[in-house]
Amino acid sequence: MGEGFGNGVGRRVRRVSRRRFLYGAGAALGGLALSSCSGAPLGGSGRIVHFWNLFGGGDGARLTDMQSNFVDSNPGIELESTTLTWGAPYYTKLSMSTVGGRPPEVAVMHQTRLGAYAPAGLLEALDPDMLAEYDIGPDKFLPEVLESAKFEGEIFTVPLDTHPQVMFYNTDIAKKAGLLDPNGELKPIEGPDAVIEAFKKAKEVTKEQGVSFAPADAAVPWRIFYTLYGQLGGEVLSPDAKEVILDQEKAETAVEYMVELTVGEELTSANQDYPAAVAQFQSGNAGFHWNGEWEVTTFEDAGMPFSIVPFPNIFGNRVQADRHTFVIPKGVAKDRRRMDAALTFVSSMMKNSFIWAQGGHIPAYRPILESQRYKDLTPQSNYAGVADNVVLDPNAWFSGSGSDMETQAAIPLQQAMAGGIKPKEAVDTMRASMQELVDTPSPL
């Protein structure tokens, strides 16, 4: 897991400097004090890029390789990269440093956090012509991807990837279950009944689970719900995020389907957490696995027989996703040298994003996305076509990956999937928690 998807805890702080690249160390440091994580004071003129990110595990290793390429190609710019615990602590620290006038030159941000940071004036707006000078102009991104980078018509982020929910499947189990075509590929599975029928066939082979996912996780219930609800065409908030517009009937339909997979047909365990869900698939106790594509390296490293397809069309073709992006905190643009160094770094990272794609994320940079070497990268490219048809969390200060909206919604969804409450009560509870968030002033 790259950034702690799943439980989102226990990440250590890492700081990597250019000198460490030069001398081959590049190791993580623990226990870094908050003060030493600060970026350069605004107005500083050094050619150095302080870069904050939230990537550990395999993503962290790939990021290090991309940073090394930047350092090798740009001897005139120092790089100081710091890895922080992802989630609320990361975003709190980023906002505090910006308000305090000591932000990093570049930071990673989930696209779905834009609704909090852009209206608060914490990010630099990025001029399209300026971006083009660094080969990261608007034409280098799919229109839908570029549109998500905007707030009120201005570009604030440079998207690195799209990371959707996907469906992993064990090819050996699928073959025994009669779910593969003559070419060894998964036969098309569409519609609510067909998906459950396929999971039943897989369970007949495994004698354990048809599909594994993590109902007991703090984030996964929302991702599955928002996928199904999004397939039904549901919206959560009004465009200005001032009104909850959760559609009762569509929301209940989505929750009912989640309940059917757990206590209904008993195709997965309602009490299963994130590590257990991954382990069940990895050990061959589940024929299918619903998760983010970032687990591809976990299963590759395990040497198990598997492939990946887009999340199934149950009620429609859309799927929940988020995007990792690069942002430049407010204040950096006051110093042209700092801004130049920052954009030079971002440009280098985008041009090296084939390395990133190997971890499962769909590259946002079209020269990589449309390259033959990415198309040849399987199973990672099997689901690349969903990049421009995903549902992102609405723009609001309380939404996005690891946000209050996701974690609060997970509780009634977990209760429903465990059979403790009816789908209607789960939806009513979600609506109430969303309304409370809407009524709460933004802290930024």
Side-chain angles (χ1 to χ4, degrees):
M1 290 184 295
E3 59 186 55
F5 290 97
N7 57 23
V9 298
R11 300 296 162 195
R12 61 181 179 175
V13 175
R14 183 178 65 175
R15 182 172 181 169
V16 183
S17 68
R18 180 170 184 271
R19 180 170 300 172
R20 285 181 171 272
F21 280 109
L22 292 175
Y23 289 93
L29 296 178
L32 198 64
L34 174 61
S35 60
S36 65
C37 294
S38 300
L42 295 180
S45 59
R47 293 277 288 174
I48 182 170
V49 173
H50 298 86
F51 170 51
W52 288 9
N53 68 85
L54 35 67
F55 301 120
D59 278 351
R62 281 180 285 275
L63 186 77
T64 298
D65 289 343
M66 295 161 69
Q67 291 174 153
S68 295
N69 288 345
F70 166 76
V71 169
D72 291 343
S73 302
N74 296 274
I77 303 176
E78 297 285 330
L79 172 65
E80 187 170 288
S81 176
T82 303
T83 301
L84 300 163
T85 301
W86 103 279
Y90 175 83
Y91 288 110
T92 299
K93 197 170 295 183
L94 182 59
S95 60
M96 290 175 61
S97 69
T98 304
V99 172
R102 296 183 64 87
E105 279 75 20
V106 182
V108 166
M109 173 178 285
H110 285 95
Q111 189 67 70
T112 53
R113 291 283 184 158
L114 182 62
Y117 282 77
L122 297 176
L123 304 176
E124 295 284 6
L126 304 173
D127 179 75
D129 293 335
M130 176 183 64
L131 292 175
E133 294 176 5
Y134 295 84
D135 295 328
I136 49 176
D139 63 318
K140 297 296 192 275
F141 302 91
L142 296 174
E144 295 81 2
V145 175
L146 179 66
E147 194 61 30
S148 70
K150 297 178 180 177
F151 181 80
E152 295 184 346
E154 291 190 288
I155 300 173
F156 284 92
T157 70
V158 180
L160 172 62
D161 66 43
T162 299
H163 47 274
Q165 295 291 292
V166 296
M167 185 163 75
F168 297 84
Y169 65 97
N170 183 307
T171 51
D172 284 353
I173 294 173
K175 182 178 181 180
K176 291 177 182 177
L179 297 172
L180 300 186
D181 65 17
N183 296 320
E185 304 293 334
L186 191 68
K187 296 176 182 176
I189 304 173
E190 292 188 3
D193 295 336
V195 170
I196 285 182
E197 187 61 29
F199 292 167
K200 285 182 176 178
K201 290 180 178 178
K203 184 178 178 180
E204 290 175 1
V205 176
T206 66
K207 309 301 182 187
E208 294 285 341
Q209 299 185 12
V211 59
S212 70
F213 61 96
D217 183 71
V220 170
W222 171 261
R223 294 170 185 160
I224 302 299
F225 167 78
Y226 203 47
T227 291
L228 299 175
Y229 183 65
Q231 290 187 348
L232 289 161
E235 300 284 347
V236 171
L237 301 176
S238 59
D240 60 3
K242 294 181 178 178
E243 182 182 358
V244 178
I245 58 171
L246 190 67
D247 185 288
Q248 188 75 23
E249 183 178 352
K250 292 175 180 176
E252 286 189 31
T253 298
V255 178
E256 286 167 357
Y257 197 78
M258 297 166 73
V259 173
E260 191 68 6
L261 294 171
T262 53
V263 295
E265 297 289 349
E266 297 183 338
L267 294 168
T268 197
S269 170
N271 299 316
Q272 191 161 256
D273 64 14
Y274 192 102
V278 172
Q280 286 292 319
F281 182 68
Q282 185 174 329
S283 62
N285 289 332
F288 293 88
H289 180 58
W290 281 357
N291 204 338
E293 30 67 10
W294 51 82
E295 290 295 350
V296 62
T297 51
T298 299
F299 303 132
E300 284 181 338
D301 292 346
M304 62 177 293
F306 80 99
S307 190
I308 309 174
V309 292
F311 195 93
N313 176 341
I314 297 174
F315 300 118
N317 274 321
R318 308 186 77 192
V319 63
Q320 186 272 347
D322 205 341
R323 296 189 172 101
H324 296 121
T325 74
F326 295 105
V327 296
I328 298 179
K330 193 70 174 181
V332 174
K334 292 180 179 178
D335 185 326
R336 185 174 178 80
R337 285 168 56 85
R338 288 183 72 193
M339 194 67 174
D340 173 67
L343 291 174
T344 299
F345 171 73
V346 173
S347 177
S348 174
M349 298 297 277
M350 300 302 292
K351 293 173 181 174
N352 282 283
S353 58
F354 178 74
I355 298 172
W356 193 247
Q358 294 173 55
H361 307 312
I362 303 171
Y365 194 55
R366 291 182 71 169
I368 301 298
L369 175 67
E370 296 169 355
S371 68
Q372 191 59 49
R373 63 173 177 168
Y374 176 67
K375 294 176 181 177
D376 292 339
L377 182 68
T378 57
Q380 288 90 334
S381 62
N382 289 355
Y383 46 85
V386 309
D388 59 355
N389 191 28
V390 298
V391 284
L392 304 175
D393 280 8
N395 275 330
W397 72 263
F398 49 79
S399 72
S401 293
S403 67
D404 290 345
M405 188 174 75
E406 286 193 357
T407 55
Q408 291 182 19
I411 297 172
L413 291 172
Q414 291 168 351
Q415 293 172 327
M417 285 188 284
I421 61 175
K422 298 294 184 184
K424 179 182 184 306
E425 185 177 352
V427 174
D428 290 343
T429 303
M430 279 199 297
R431 183 190 306 280
S433 66
M434 290 175 185
Q435 187 61 56
E436 186 174 347
L437 290 168
V438 166
D439 294 339
T440 303
S442 170
L444 297 177

